[in-house]
Amino acid sequence: MATGNSLQVKLYEAFKRMPSIRRFIGSRLVYTPLMAIVIFLVVMAIILGTLQVQERQQQEGSLFRELSLVKQRIQLRFINNSEALQSFSRDLAQTQNDRAGRDKVLAQIESFVLGNPEILQLIWLNDNEWRQWMVPPPARNHEWFDIVPQATDIDRELKKALFLSRETNRPAYSQVISITVPKDDPIMSERQSVFWEVISIFKDGEATGALAVMYSSQGILQYIIPPELKSQHRYSLIGKDNRVLAISSDRDTPTRSLSNETSLDFGALGPNIMLRVDTYPPPTDLTFRMLLGVVIGLSAFVVWSLWSVLKQMQVRQLTEANLRTESSFRRVLEDSMPVGIRAHDMEKRITYVNRSFSEMTGWAQEELLGLKPPFPFWPAELHEELMQKMAGALEGNAKNGIEGTIQRKNGTRIATRTFIAPLINDKGQQTGWVTSVIDISEPKKIREELSATQERFVTVLEGLDAAVSVVSIETGELLFANRYYRERFGDTAKGHIDLTGHEMDPSSIFHFEGDNVDALAGLPASALKQSNEIESEEIQLRGDTTHWYEVRRRYISWVDGHLAQLLIATDITLRKNTEELARQQEERMQFTSRLTTMGEMASSLAHELNQPLSAISNYCMGIAKRLSSTQNPLSNELVPALEKASDQAHRAGTIISRIRSFVKRSEPQSKLCSIGDIIADSVGLVEIEANRHRLKIISEIAPDIPQVELDPVLIQQVLVNLLKNSLDSLREVYPLSSRWSAPPVKISADLETSTFPSMLRIRVTDAGAGIAESVLNRMFEPFFSTKSDGMGMGLNICRSIIESHHGRLWAKNHMDTEHTRLVGCTFTILLPLESNQITKASIGNSNEHEQSTENNPG
């Protein structure tokens, strides 16, 4: 085998020493016949193509001449017909009153129609467009064009042509009309597409009628074109939108047939019709085909002969190529490898390096051969370390290679991994070592970047205010959990399973051998991973009524390729609480709106009832005076009753006036007022409700109280609210059957002299259930209420009103003698006696909340 290889190398070297002129001549001798045959084929193709083009040009010229001839025949026929019809129209105009002459003209018209079979119908119309005479005559008072589906289109086109002819005093044509006819009716087949020609009849300059001629498109091709032309070509009439109106023959034309078309010029008022001609396949040209066959046969024989010669040349060229490949394969293989290779002898000298190693280090092959360690491409500070690694690798202690650093000739450094293997000769003896060096700078850089990216990503996940966890679908193991998850749910998958509604309960997980099966549902894992939509739901864990979580989850492929579930849980407790608070505030605002409406209704009702009550009082007093002035014995009995009725009506009017003044909305007004009058009006408003619940209200006013500057409506609102709260507290303690023993609600007003200067003190005291300690600390907060139908704004508004008057409002419970239970409560109001400079702005702020009076804890 070695002898054969050396012989091939010698033959190849001898061939390389041959003069280049011999190779040039040899290549030319091989390709000269091929070039000759190619030139021959090109010349023959040009000749045959030229003949084909000339023959096609002759056919096109002949086709154009025949098309022009047919066009002239059709136009000449129409011109002759138009002249004849114009002559008939003049004769009819002259013989209008001559019956014998008119019959003679009609006979000539009938002969004219019979001599022109392309005319389907001729109609003589009078000046009212009525049919006076027609040929062929109508059958049973009906004509075929009156009963076809397109009869309306036919009549409309006739009227258009008649109008144009009268206006222009020239023959006018209609557009082509397509008619639906039965396929098996040979007579109606000529009537598939028709059009009108109208010639107006004028006498003394006035239109007295018209001659209308209906042409058949099929008849034009059938009766005007000579049969010898139709046997050679196919003629067609084409209308608008390339619609075929008529065709001379149903015989198909070849796909590469010649065709030409021209417009049939009927004048400015004529239809838009194109005449088209297509050629039929010509008879077989036997001479041309024989010549073509001979040329192709000779060419094939020459090509076969040349192919035989080329076959022998290919064998020779293949042998030469094998010699060149065999000699250059080893060197090309070594130089094309991206891995640097170097060989060492038993003394660790470098005996061989490939081109990749030289490019990697920047040192030429000649500069590296014969060098011993430490090598110049080792960094100086790493000589000892690399010497130890190399010694260990030569002893076989580095099967996975050793990492090192190479310093290039220009001073730059790259990270490498070196693999060392013993070099064994053909006798099985070790003659040295072979090392392969791989540049790992870029992969190492990528690994470092990936590590840094992973560290940043984990840092971001750890800093999220949401629980992020990943659980294996197959085993139920917690694969990842961030800090938030571990703080809330621990280091197990229990929190993840609870958040998914036990959808991934480990007790329901089945283990399968296939990696592409979802153990939970028995579906392929790819079916779950195809959807990129993340499911989102709001849940509250069982046993935890204080926290709400928004849970989003989806299926992902874990780093090991197995299917896992990613879950992100965000604490939305604050948002849920805010939504609930907003809902409660909305309900309270709706309740406030209803109370406002009720106040407006109460004001309107008070206004409407005040007048009838005044009338009742007046009538009663009038009747009492009349009875007093008479000597009627019943006067002594009726007058007192009428006076009591008048008093009650007056009392009802007073109560209604108080209600009206209380609910009436007006601008805040501060003035000097008597606190006794304000308390009396307040008691009068609440006393009705107290009597209805069998409760009492008493008032105690000190005699030395001066008038105070304040807003009476706002202070009255505060007192009414406090009195109603006291009545509600008594109703809770005393049921309806025992309210006869309930102590009354007491409202008092006096001076507080313990302060300087002295202040007006108003106290509302009841013997109810008192106020719980937890409620007492929050009772003045907005929207805080212990009543199911309350808004929690009453006491807040009351305190705002009192503070706007520079006063104070507070509550104090009363205990029994043993101090074991609450036995009532007292609300105390302190108002300054001096001018307190109540501004409209400060009172207006309180008046904005003047919407609720029975929504206070109590």
Side-chain angles (χ1 to χ4, degrees):
M1 184 67 182
T3 306
N5 291 338
S6 60
L7 179 61
Q8 291 179 357
V9 172
K10 291 179 180 180
L11 289 175
Y12 175 64
E13 291 177 354
F15 180 79
K16 289 196 298 181
R17 289 192 296 270
M18 293 175 60
S20 59
I21 187 64
R22 296 178 59 184
R23 292 197 298 272
F24 177 78
I25 294 175
S27 61
R28 291 295 182 271
L29 291 176
V30 172
Y31 295 109
T32 298
L34 179 60
M35 295 174 61
I37 192 60
V38 170
I39 294 173
F40 174 75
L41 291 176
V42 170
V43 172
M44 293 305 299
I46 293 173
I47 294 174
L48 295 177
T50 303
L51 293 176
Q52 189 74 12
V53 169
Q54 291 178 354
E55 182 179 2
R56 187 176 183 87
Q57 291 177 350
Q58 293 176 0
Q59 291 179 357
E60 289 178 351
S62 175
L63 185 66
F64 177 75
R65 289 191 296 272
E66 293 177 359
L67 179 63
S68 301
L69 177 62
V70 172
K71 176 181 178 181
Q72 292 175 0
R73 289 179 64 90
I74 294 175
Q75 290 179 340
L76 182 61
R77 176 68 67 88
F78 272 86
I79 292 172
N80 294 336
N81 291 349
S82 297
E83 292 177 351
L85 292 172
Q86 290 177 354
S87 177
F88 292 148
S89 66
R90 290 191 295 270
D91 294 341
L92 288 175
Q94 294 174 2
T95 61
Q96 188 173 3
N97 298 323
D98 184 4
R99 184 176 181 82
R102 184 180 61 187
D103 293 342
K104 183 177 179 181
V105 174
L106 294 177
Q108 293 176 357
I109 295 174
E110 186 174 358
S111 299
F112 168 75
V113 173
L114 294 177
N116 293 275
E118 71 274 7
I119 298 177
L120 297 178
Q121 194 74 42
L122 187 145
I123 303 175
W124 177 24
L125 303 172
N126 60 9
D127 54 350
N128 294 326
E129 299 183 3
W130 291 352
R131 302 173 185 175
Q132 286 186 328
W133 180 82
M134 57 196 314
V135 60
R140 298 181 182 178
N141 298 325
H142 290 287
E143 190 51 52
W144 62 271
F145 53 81
D146 292 330
I147 60 176
V148 295
Q150 289 78 17
T152 304
D153 299 336
I154 295 174
D155 185 63
R156 182 175 64 252
E157 293 296 332
L158 175 59
K159 290 181 179 180
K160 290 181 180 179
L162 183 60
F163 174 76
L164 292 175
S165 178
R166 287 179 178 177
E167 294 294 326
T168 60
N169 194 13
R170 295 170 56 190
Y173 294 88
S174 70
Q175 295 298 323
V176 180
I177 307 165
S178 298
I179 302 175
T180 304
V181 299
K183 295 182 179 180
D184 55 352
D185 191 345
I187 297 177
M188 292 297 293
S189 61
E190 296 183 0
R191 303 171 180 174
Q192 290 184 355
S193 58
V194 298
F195 61 93
W196 293 98
E197 181 184 6
V198 177
I199 295 92
S200 297
I201 301 174
F202 289 90
K203 184 177 182 181
D204 298 331
E206 294 184 0
T208 60
L211 289 177
V213 179
M214 178 183 288
Y215 282 101
S216 169
S217 302
Q218 188 66 35
I220 293 173
L221 299 181
Q222 185 173 356
Y223 301 111
I224 297 179
I225 302 176
E228 60 273 11
L229 294 179
K230 291 190 291 184
S231 63
Q232 298 177 3
H233 309 291
R234 186 181 70 180
Y235 294 90
S236 307
L237 292 180
I238 309 298
K240 294 189 297 183
D241 301 330
N242 292 329
R243 180 167 52 89
V244 178
L245 304 177
I247 190 168
S248 62
S249 175
D250 294 336
R251 181 180 174 188
D252 294 332
T253 60
T255 56
R256 303 180 67 179
S257 64
L258 299 177
S259 63
N260 202 342
E261 62 181 22
T262 183
S263 174
L264 293 178
D265 188 8
F266 293 99
L269 304 179
N272 184 15
I273 300 177
M274 303 291 294
L275 176 63
R276 180 173 179 173
V277 60
D278 299 287
T279 60
Y280 291 124
T284 304
D285 190 353
L286 184 60
T287 303
F288 177 78
R289 294 195 175 186
M290 288 180 62
L291 178 60
L292 181 61
V294 171
V295 172
I296 294 175
L298 291 176
S299 300
F301 177 75
V302 174
V303 170
W304 177 81
S305 301
L306 181 61
W307 177 80
S308 300
V309 176
L310 291 178
K311 197 69 174 177
Q312 298 296 326
M313 295 298 298
Q314 287 178 357
V315 174
R316 179 179 178 181
Q317 291 176 355
L318 181 60
T319 304
E320 294 175 357
N322 290 335
L323 289 174
R324 290 192 297 270
T325 302
E326 184 71 22
S327 62
S328 61
F329 174 75
R330 178 178 176 182
R331 187 66 181 177
V332 172
L333 179 62
E334 295 175 354
D335 293 339
S336 63
M337 292 179 62
V339 179
I341 298 177
R342 70 176 185 265
H344 299 264
D345 58 13
M346 296 302 295
E347 297 180 359
K348 302 179 183 180
R349 282 191 298 262
I350 296 177
T351 58
Y352 168 80
V353 294
N354 65 345
R355 185 172 59 185
S356 297
F357 187 82
S358 297
E359 294 175 354
M360 186 182 300
T361 59
W363 297 80
Q365 297 180 357
E366 295 78 9
E367 295 175 334
L368 295 175
L369 295 178
L371 296 179
K372 286 186 176 183
F375 303 112
F377 47 80
W378 284 359
E381 69 276 10
L382 300 178
H383 282 179
E384 294 183 3
E385 178 183 352
L386 294 178
M387 287 284 289
Q388 295 177 0
K389 289 183 177 181
M390 183 176 182
L394 295 179
E395 295 175 359
N397 298 330
K399 296 182 179 180
N400 296 327
I402 56 175
E403 288 190 8
T405 303
I406 287 181
Q407 182 172 342
R408 302 169 62 89
K409 193 173 183 179
N410 57 7
T412 60
R413 298 186 180 187
I414 59 174
T416 60
R417 180 176 292 274
T418 303
F419 298 89
I420 299 179
L423 182 60
I424 308 298
N425 61 9
D426 55 350
K427 299 180 180 180
Q429 297 177 352
Q430 181 178 356
T431 59
W433 292 271
V434 174
T435 64
S436 57
V437 183
I438 303 174
D439 185 356
I440 61 171
S441 299
E442 192 65 25
K444 188 175 182 180
K445 180 180 179 181
I446 293 174
R447 285 197 302 269
E448 292 175 353
E449 291 179 353
L450 286 176
S451 177
T453 302
Q454 181 180 3
E455 184 178 353
R456 289 193 297 267
F457 180 69
V458 171
T459 303
V460 171
L461 290 181
E462 292 292 332
L464 288 177
D465 289 336
V468 180
S469 59
V470 180
V471 172
S472 172
I473 295 298
E474 296 184 359
T475 63
E477 178 186 359
L478 182 65
L479 302 177
F480 175 81
N482 67 342
R483 175 191 56 80
Y484 193 92
Y485 178 91
R486 295 192 300 271
E487 292 177 354
R488 290 293 182 95
F489 308 105
D491 296 332
T492 64
K494 183 179 182 303
H496 184 109
I497 296 171
D498 292 341
L499 290 172
T500 58
H502 288 263
E503 177 188 88
M504 294 183 54
D505 195 339
S507 61
S508 62
I509 295 178
F510 299 94
H511 297 278
F512 291 91
E513 295 180 359
D515 290 342
N516 62 337
V517 176
D518 182 359
L520 290 178
L523 296 175
S526 57
L528 292 176
K529 292 187 291 184
Q530 286 176 355
S531 177
N532 290 327
E533 298 182 1
I534 300 179
E535 301 178 5
S536 177
E537 59 179 340
E538 296 179 356
I539 66 169
Q540 191 174 31
L541 297 179
R542 286 179 292 183
D544 184 2
T545 59
T546 59
H547 290 86
W548 279 89
Y549 296 94
E550 181 182 16
V551 178
R552 298 181 181 182
R553 51 185 174 173
R554 63 171 296 179
Y555 290 98
I556 61 173
S557 291
W558 193 238
V559 293
D560 57 358
H562 289 80
L563 189 63
Q565 187 184 58
L566 169 66
L567 183 141
I568 303 175
T570 307
D571 192 340
I572 58 171
T573 305
L574 181 60
R575 189 182 75 188
K576 297 291 287 187
N577 294 339
T578 304
E579 293 175 354
E580 178 63 22
L581 181 59
R583 184 189 63 80
Q584 294 176 3
Q585 291 179 352
E586 179 68 20
E587 292 177 356
R588 290 164 180 165
M589 292 300 295
Q590 294 174 2
F591 180 69
T592 301
S593 178
R594 291 195 297 270
L595 289 181
T596 302
T597 304
M598 184 181 68
E600 294 174 354
M601 292 174 62
S603 178
S604 176
L605 182 63
H607 175 75
E608 296 295 332
L609 291 179
N610 194 36
Q611 293 182 358
L613 287 174
S614 299
I616 291 173
S617 177
N618 292 334
Y619 286 141
C620 289
M621 293 301 296
I623 294 172
K625 289 180 180 181
R626 290 287 300 274
L627 290 176
S628 299
S629 62
T630 61
Q631 300 298 325
N632 194 330
L634 296 177
S635 299
N636 296 330
E637 297 179 3
L638 295 178
V639 169
L642 291 173
E643 289 178 351
K644 291 180 180 180
S646 177
D647 292 339
Q648 293 299 322
H650 180 71
R651 181 173 178 271
T654 303
I655 294 173
I656 291 174
S657 297
R658 290 174 180 173
I659 295 175
R660 182 180 179 185
S661 63
F662 177 73
V663 301
K664 181 180 180 181
R665 296 184 61 87
S666 61
E667 291 293 330
Q669 185 176 5
S670 179
K671 60 183 179 179
L672 289 175
C673 302
S674 174
I675 193 61
D677 295 340
I678 296 175
I679 292 176
D681 291 339
S682 302
V683 173
L685 288 172
V686 184
E687 194 173 19
I688 300 173
E689 182 178 357
N691 294 334
R692 182 164 57 89
H693 294 291
R694 300 180 183 179
L695 296 173
K696 297 179 181 180
I697 300 176
I698 60 175
S699 58
E700 296 179 359
I701 310 299
D704 56 347
I705 299 178
Q707 288 188 340
V708 184
E709 185 176 358
L710 46 76
D711 189 325
V713 175
L714 295 180
I715 298 301
Q716 186 180 6
Q717 177 181 347
V718 174
L719 297 180
V720 168
N721 196 32
L722 296 179
L723 290 172
K724 288 173 65 65
N725 285 344
S726 298
L727 292 175
D728 292 341
S729 180
L730 283 175
R731 286 167 53 194
E732 293 179 4
V733 176
Y734 295 92
L736 186 62
S737 59
S738 62
R739 286 181 184 169
W740 58 271
S741 62
V745 175
K746 180 181 178 181
I747 180 170
S748 63
D750 56 6
L751 295 178
E752 176 63 51
T753 59
S754 62
T755 62
F756 182 82
S758 299
M759 302 182 71
L760 173 63
R761 179 173 61 186
I762 304 172
R763 290 182 290 186
V764 178
T765 304
D766 64 77
I771 303 174
E773 189 67 26
S774 59
V775 177
L776 193 62
N777 297 328
R778 300 185 57 192
M779 58 189 300
F780 292 105
E781 294 180 3
F783 304 109
F784 177 79
S785 177
T786 59
K787 299 178 181 179
S788 59
D789 57 347
M791 286 186 57
M793 291 298 295
L795 289 178
N796 178 262
I797 295 174
C798 291
R799 170 171 279 187
S800 299
I801 292 173
I802 298 301
E803 290 179 351
S804 68
H805 287 75
H806 302 285
R808 291 189 298 156
L809 169 64
W810 71 92
K812 181 179 181 182
N813 286 320
H814 302 305
M815 305 294 291
D816 58 359
T817 55
E818 289 83 9
H819 296 278
T820 57
R821 64 185 183 91
L822 298 176
V823 293
C825 176
T826 297
F827 282 88
T828 304
I829 301 173
L830 289 181
L831 294 173
L833 296 174
E834 302 294 334
S835 176
N836 48 25
Q837 301 177 356
I838 304 176
T839 62
K840 288 185 177 182
S842 62
I843 301 177
N845 292 334
S846 302
N847 198 36
E848 291 179 357
H849 303 285
E850 187 183 327
Q851 305 294 333
S852 171
T853 59
E854 54 180 272
N855 51 354
N856 304 287

